Amino acid sequence: MKEFSRKHIHIILCTLSAGFILCGLVMLIQDFYNSTYAPDTSAATVQEASFSSADVLFLSSYSRSFITVPDQEKGMLKVFDQYPGINVTEEFMDTRNYPAEGNLQNVYNSLLYKYRNQDAFDAIILADDAALKFGLRYRDTLFKGSPMVFMCINDFDHARGAMNYHDVTGKTENFDLKGTIEVAAKLLPKADTIVTIYDETDSGLGDFKQMQKLEADFPDYSFQYINTSMLYTDELTQQLESIDQDSIVIFMDAFENADGSIYDVETSAAFIAEHCPVPVFRASIGGLGCGLAGGHYFDYEAAGEIAARTVIDILNGASADAMPVDYENVSHYAFDYDVLKKHGLGTYVLPKDTEFINEPLSYFRQYKAIILPSAYIMTGLFIGLIVLEISNEEKRRKTRELTYSRNKLQYMYEHDTMTQLPNRSHADVRMQELLQEGGTHTLMLIDIDNFKTLNDTFGHGAGDYVLKEMARRLRLVAVKYQGFVSRYGGDEFAILFANEINQDSGEMLSYLRNILNEPYIYEEQHLTVTPSIGVTTSAGKERLINELFSEADKALTEAKSRGKHTAVFFDATMHERILEEDNIVLTLHDACDHDGFRIVYQPQISTKTGKVIGYEALVRLKSGAYYPDRFIAPAEKYGMIIRIGRIVTEKVIHQMAVWRAQGVELQKVSINYSAKQLQDEEYVQYLKSLLQKENISPDLIEIEVTESLYMEYKEQTNMLFRQLRELGIGLALDDFGTGYSSLNYLTFIPADRIKLDKKMTDTYLQQGKTNIIKNIVNIAHDLNMTLCIEGVENRAQYDLATALGCDDVQGYFFSRPMDGNAVPYYRVEFLDS
């Protein structure tokens, strides 16, 4: 009887346990099905296409990184990706950072050049107000009358005016200001004033008009407006802090202020929320999570979908003229729970579908990680009972799966996920094992030249493509010549060959060179990809892999120093050069600590007056142990250039004060600035303090930079240029004619003067070859810049420079660099001889 009872209790308990587990499994399966197989109701409806292919241009008013653009692109591509025949070209005007008319002309010239020989686009999407204005302005001359669909237009009058054009339609950015104000009024029932913050950008003025039109809908409120474009930072702070407690504050736009600074939405939102005594609301994207309370937010992804569907209708034969402007609002409520609680506002008055950020988790959501694993554990126990009854074949299958998983994990641990090559940790172990097998081995270290610039210029997608393609080609080399290849670093690869390769290995080196130099084409763009290679051999000796890598790295460094895109074999002299570099570094440290530098000055002569107009300051070691062409590169490499730059600056400004005390009329002095000095974020403040200390006018100082500085560090360089401009310091573009030498960048670099490199002078400043210099002179003058020619060493060169219209010259024909105490006595005497 007891046995019978235990048996039935066991059956009952098992049945109950199985019942609970099965219920949990049903819930898990249902949740899995909903998350995996449930139809995506947000996907755009696929319309039948009557076209096989189409070219569509997406022209945005802003840059790709602007806060609204990714959502617009996402919505647009959600539709277009369903039509394989549609080719979307994207262009960005970046008017937020470059609002001037000159930038619009640059955009026009660039687009005209790119699409001058291309057929008209089948349709054009114009995103935001500036793009709509630009598109209508150049509709016939640039866009050849293509149908246009605009979206996210803040200025409704402008949108209505666009309908007067043939084949133009679109949707406004009808974000729900009214809904935002209404929900704010529920949260702040005592409020009697609505304060609107806006700016004078195209979008800002459009938003301002929308708010003015709403005044009649809220007769019980008085309206106030704060225009950030007319206020400096301290003025804006004062106005925000003086806002009355019984106010509803609507933040619409604050991308610029009176001093010309440009801000993003998050920065503006954080600033306004910090200084405003009441909660701040917003009806457009951005700022939530940066101190704003929330609002009825416009859905830019939905706007992108609507614009794309309109284009599909047009491509299918519909007429844009028959499509009225769409003013329908597409928004959702979203609020910051922490901000509402900070101001003591309840959430019960908000709509039911309101989304919250920073909302405290409910009990279930908070302990979901415990509850669900518990259910899995119970399921596992139940499955464990079943596992006892399965066949040996099932056990073997499980064993095989486990082995496969272990092998897969091992593979993932030892290999780079992008290129599928062995990673550094695995390569070190495997290569050392190969060395221990004996014989002569050769190690190649391959680095992709200018990989950061390629990434910044073409995007990380292009960078990933180059890494994968380089890995594929090196794998072919390794297979053909018995090598072990790995990805050793970010853009660095290593191959260990089981034989000796030297400079006489012509067939192998030729194959390597040819396969690496084959074209790299990414999204129909030809990329310039070149490798630098360092090579070393074990020479049949027992070596450690770390030793070979050290030698290969030295050879790679030598390859880089020779101008890149070459292969260098390690030899003992490289070690000697490294020792010499160490001596240079020690010398520089000693010079920094014991006043070991002196400054010499080379005069710059006006071709119009024949008189000195300034000097270039050049640093020298007092000991004369090394010249600048030897010690500047190590100074930059080891970070000493920052300290040297400050020493040079202090000495120059002090010397100018000495000249003034001697009664010398001060001329402008140019100071060279290295790209590595960008790490000295306080340099401009240091320069300012020296000028104030010695009472030297900022307009007597000129900073010389190279164009490569702007190309490689654009964001930091723009900040440097702005700080120098605000201080009143002049800017000169040095060494023009070397490096990138892009005339296009002259329109973006706010330089006052261009200095032509001596190599250009030697090559082109001679009879019959002056056209290039003449063209550069004309371009410089058209951009309101002056041109200085360096390296003038004889009268014939000076006469040619004068005839070509160059503004000033510099070189040994007038004077070698001189000590500061010789400057007061220097006179230009050659013109009388």
Side-chain angles (χ1 to χ4, degrees):
M1 186 68 181
K2 290 182 178 180
E3 182 178 349
F4 176 81
S5 298
R6 292 194 194 100
K7 180 179 179 181
H8 282 79
I9 291 173
H10 178 75
I11 293 173
I12 292 171
L13 291 175
C14 287
T15 302
L16 288 174
S17 176
F20 282 111
I21 292 174
L22 286 174
C23 288
L25 284 172
V26 170
M27 295 173 62
L28 288 172
I29 292 171
Q30 183 178 7
D31 181 69
F32 176 79
Y33 177 83
N34 291 336
S35 62
T36 306
Y37 299 103
D40 183 9
T41 58
S42 65
T45 303
V46 181
Q47 301 167 251
E48 183 176 354
S50 62
F51 56 90
S52 59
S53 63
D55 291 323
V56 178
L57 172 65
F58 172 70
L59 179 62
S60 171
S61 302
Y62 309 121
S63 66
R64 185 186 295 275
S65 60
F66 189 71
I67 189 168
T68 63
V69 173
D71 284 348
Q72 292 172 341
E73 286 181 310
K74 183 178 179 181
M76 178 182 67
L77 295 178
K78 184 185 291 185
V79 176
F80 286 155
D81 285 347
Q82 300 176 38
Y83 299 89
I86 292 182
N87 177 41
V88 180
T89 301
E90 297 183 339
E91 297 287 350
F92 300 89
M93 298 170 61
D94 200 11
T95 58
R96 186 68 69 190
N97 292 316
Y98 303 101
E101 179 65 21
N103 178 57
L104 296 181
Q105 186 62 42
N106 288 337
V107 174
Y108 172 80
N109 292 337
S110 175
L111 295 180
L112 182 63
Y113 178 79
K114 290 170 69 174
Y115 305 118
R116 65 188 187 281
N117 296 324
Q118 181 174 311
D119 293 335
F121 286 98
D122 296 293
I124 298 174
I125 295 179
L126 304 171
D128 296 283
D129 297 69
L132 177 57
K133 289 182 180 179
F134 184 89
L136 295 179
R137 180 177 179 181
Y138 298 109
R139 174 171 173 76
D140 296 320
T141 59
L142 181 59
F143 298 114
K144 305 172 184 176
S146 297
M148 292 182 170
V149 177
F150 56 81
M151 66 174 173
C152 302
I153 305 303
N154 301 87
D155 191 338
F156 287 11
D157 293 335
H158 190 197
R160 280 188 286 269
M163 299 304 293
N164 295 325
Y165 290 78
H166 174 59
D167 268 354
V168 178
T169 188
K171 176 174 179 57
T172 62
E173 186 173 325
N174 188 13
F175 50 79
D176 190 11
L177 275 176
K178 185 175 181 181
T180 299
I181 295 174
E182 289 173 345
V183 76
K186 292 180 180 179
L187 290 168
L188 301 169
K190 295 182 180 180
D192 57 9
T193 303
I194 296 175
V195 180
T196 301
I197 301 171
Y198 74 104
D199 61 24
E200 292 184 355
T201 62
D202 288 341
S203 298
L205 293 176
D207 294 344
F208 171 69
K209 291 180 182 179
Q210 290 194 49
M211 179 60 78
Q212 285 187 314
K213 292 178 181 178
L214 284 177
E215 290 186 9
D217 294 334
F218 299 92
D220 296 331
Y221 292 83
S222 61
F223 284 75
Q224 298 177 6
Y225 294 89
I226 297 177
N227 182 356
T228 65
S229 297
M230 303 297 293
L231 299 173
Y232 292 95
T233 302
D234 55 346
E235 295 173 335
L236 177 58
T237 301
Q238 183 177 359
Q239 288 208 21
L240 292 173
E241 292 176 349
S242 63
I243 291 176
D244 189 81
Q245 289 287 344
D246 293 332
S247 299
I248 294 173
V249 178
I250 305 295
F251 165 41
M252 301 183 75
D253 302 274
F255 295 107
E256 61 179 21
N257 61 12
D259 62 14
S261 298
I262 305 297
Y263 302 98
D264 56 31
V265 173
E266 287 77 10
T267 302
S268 299
F271 180 87
I272 292 170
E274 178 185 358
H275 295 284
C276 193
V278 295
V280 182
F281 300 88
R282 180 171 170 82
S284 185
I285 193 172
L288 197 64
C290 299
L292 299 187
H296 204 193
Y297 282 79
F298 184 83
D299 193 338
Y300 288 88
E301 181 177 340
E305 284 189 56
I306 292 171
R309 285 198 294 269
T310 303
V311 168
I312 297 300
D313 289 338
I314 293 173
L315 295 177
N316 279 331
S319 172
D321 294 332
M323 303 177 185
V325 175
D326 184 1
Y327 297 94
E328 181 184 354
N329 172 46
V330 285
S331 304
H332 65 283
Y333 288 98
F335 284 84
D336 190 326
Y337 189 91
D338 287 345
V339 174
L340 294 179
K341 290 303 178 184
K342 172 186 174 183
H343 292 281
L345 304 179
T347 61
Y348 61 92
V349 299
L350 300 176
K352 291 183 178 180
D353 59 348
T354 299
E355 299 175 7
F356 291 95
I357 66 170
N358 299 322
E359 183 182 14
L361 295 175
S362 65
Y363 179 87
F364 177 77
R365 291 172 60 191
Q366 185 173 1
Y367 295 100
K368 183 178 180 181
I370 298 176
I371 295 172
L372 291 180
S374 298
Y376 285 121
I377 291 173
M378 293 175 63
T379 305
L381 293 173
F382 176 74
I383 295 174
L385 295 175
I386 300 175
V387 168
L388 296 176
E389 304 298 325
I390 63 174
S391 66
N392 291 331
E393 178 59 28
E394 182 67 8
K395 292 181 179 180
R396 287 192 294 270
R397 185 181 65 83
K398 292 288 186 180
T399 302
R400 288 195 300 269
E401 290 179 354
L402 181 60
T403 302
Y404 172 79
S405 298
R406 288 174 178 172
N407 291 339
K408 184 176 181 180
L409 288 174
Q410 183 70 20
Y411 181 89
M412 293 172 62
Y413 175 76
E414 295 177 348
H415 289 75
D416 171 54
T417 56
M418 179 178 295
T419 63
Q420 299 304 310
L421 292 177
N423 56 31
R424 180 169 185 165
S425 60
H426 178 50
D428 284 340
V429 174
R430 181 57 184 149
M431 288 182 178
Q432 187 61 55
E433 292 174 350
L434 293 173
L435 288 178
Q436 290 174 352
E437 293 177 3
T440 297
H441 291 78
T442 300
L443 177 66
M444 281 190 179
L445 203 56
I446 300 114
D447 183 84
I448 301 174
D449 298 331
N450 305 315
F451 185 74
K452 180 181 183 300
T453 301
L454 184 146
N455 252 335
D456 294 341
T457 304
F458 297 98
H460 289 284
D464 292 346
Y465 159 78
V466 169
L467 290 173
K468 293 177 182 177
E469 181 62 16
M470 181 68 72
R472 183 189 68 81
R473 299 181 186 189
L474 292 177
R475 193 180 285 111
L476 293 176
V477 175
V479 170
K480 185 177 179 65
Y481 293 97
Q482 300 178 350
F484 176 86
V485 60
S486 68
R487 183 182 179 189
Y488 208 68
D491 60 338
E492 201 169 72
F493 300 82
I495 308 179
L496 183 68
F497 296 96
N499 48 58
E500 182 177 3
I501 298 173
N502 52 45
Q503 298 181 5
D504 297 326
S505 305
E507 189 271 337
M508 185 275 169
L509 294 177
S510 178
Y511 177 82
L512 176 66
R513 189 180 302 110
N514 291 337
I515 196 170
L516 295 185
N517 287 340
E518 287 178 3
Y520 294 78
I521 302 175
Y522 174 73
E523 294 184 349
E524 300 182 354
Q525 297 184 85
H526 285 259
L527 306 180
T528 301
V529 180
T530 61
S532 293
I533 304 174
V535 187
T536 188
T537 66
S538 64
K541 301 177 182 178
E542 187 174 338
R543 304 288 300 277
L544 294 175
I545 191 62
N546 290 340
E547 296 173 354
L548 292 184
F549 268 111
S550 177
E551 294 177 357
D553 187 64
K554 290 180 176 66
L556 178 61
T557 301
E558 181 67 16
K560 294 283 189 182
S561 69
R562 294 183 186 179
K564 305 178 181 179
H565 193 195
T566 188
V568 173
F569 287 77
F570 175 82
D571 61 56
T573 61
M574 294 179 187
H575 183 67
E576 295 172 2
R577 284 195 293 273
I578 292 173
L579 291 178
E580 182 185 43
E581 184 176 84
D582 291 341
N583 290 333
I584 292 175
V585 171
L586 291 174
T587 301
L588 293 178
H589 275 298
D590 183 73
C592 289
D593 294 337
H594 301 95
D595 192 24
F597 294 102
R598 65 186 181 93
I599 309 300
V600 294
Y601 301 85
Q602 188 171 36
Q604 298 166 343
I605 313 300
S606 170
T607 59
K608 297 178 178 60
T609 65
K611 296 182 178 180
V612 176
I613 62 165
Y615 296 85
E616 179 179 2
L618 303 166
V619 65
R620 300 287 189 270
L621 283 168
K622 289 182 178 180
S623 66
Y626 302 99
Y627 282 99
D629 61 343
R630 298 284 299 282
F631 69 73
I632 291 297
E636 292 179 332
K637 180 178 179 180
Y638 294 101
M640 302 178 63
I641 197 66
I642 294 176
R643 188 176 178 188
I644 295 173
R646 289 200 173 201
I647 292 173
V648 171
T649 304
E650 191 275 337
K651 285 181 174 291
V652 168
I653 294 176
H654 178 71
Q655 180 65 68
M656 295 177 73
V658 172
W659 287 335
R660 183 181 57 206
Q662 294 173 345
V664 177
E665 180 182 356
L666 295 183
Q667 302 284 0
K668 181 172 290 189
V669 177
S670 301
I671 301 175
N672 287 285
Y673 186 91
S674 164
K676 300 299 182 181
Q677 288 180 259
L678 285 172
Q679 300 174 23
D680 187 1
E681 297 179 352
E682 300 298 323
Y683 175 78
V684 176
Q685 184 60 37
Y686 176 76
L687 173 59
K688 180 180 179 181
S689 66
L690 291 176
L691 293 171
Q692 292 174 343
K693 175 183 176 181
E694 300 290 359
N695 193 25
I696 300 297
S697 175
D699 60 6
L700 291 173
I701 298 297
E702 183 180 72
I703 298 297
E704 292 189 11
V705 301
T706 62
E707 53 194 323
S708 61
L709 176 73
Y710 183 81
M711 281 289 294
E712 297 177 7
Y713 308 96
K714 189 176 298 183
E715 183 176 348
Q716 301 98 310
T717 305
N718 280 330
M719 181 179 294
L720 172 69
F721 289 169
R722 184 168 62 252
Q723 292 175 339
L724 292 174
R725 281 296 191 193
E726 291 172 355
L727 188 56
I729 301 295
L731 281 171
L733 185 61
D734 196 17
D735 295 339
F736 189 80
T738 63
Y740 300 95
S741 297
S742 172
L743 296 177
N744 180 52
Y745 276 95
L746 292 179
T747 62
F748 296 101
I749 301 177
D752 306 296
R753 192 158 64 126
I754 299 172
K755 298 189 73 177
L756 201 64
D757 185 74
K758 185 179 184 300
K759 295 178 182 177
M760 291 283 287
T761 302
D762 294 340
T763 303
Y764 298 108
L765 193 60
Q766 52 182 296
Q767 291 294 346
K769 294 186 177 182
T770 59
N771 285 339
I772 290 180
I773 295 180
K774 180 62 177 177
N775 290 333
I776 296 174
V777 171
N778 292 336
I779 291 172
H781 289 169
D782 288 342
L783 295 173
N784 293 321
M785 300 179 184
T786 60
L787 184 76
C788 175
I789 292 189
E790 296 180 300
V792 175
E793 298 183 351
N794 55 62
R795 180 59 181 260
Q797 288 181 324
Y798 170 77
D799 290 339
L800 273 176
T802 303
L804 291 172
C806 300
D807 300 280
D808 40 84
V809 293
Q810 177 181 340
Y812 284 3
F813 180 53
F814 306 98
S815 174
R816 291 178 177 272
M818 64 187 80
D819 288 332
N821 56 15
V823 168
Y825 307 102
Y826 176 73
R827 298 291 183 274
V828 181
E829 299 176 355
F830 79 97
L831 293 175
D832 299 327
S833 62

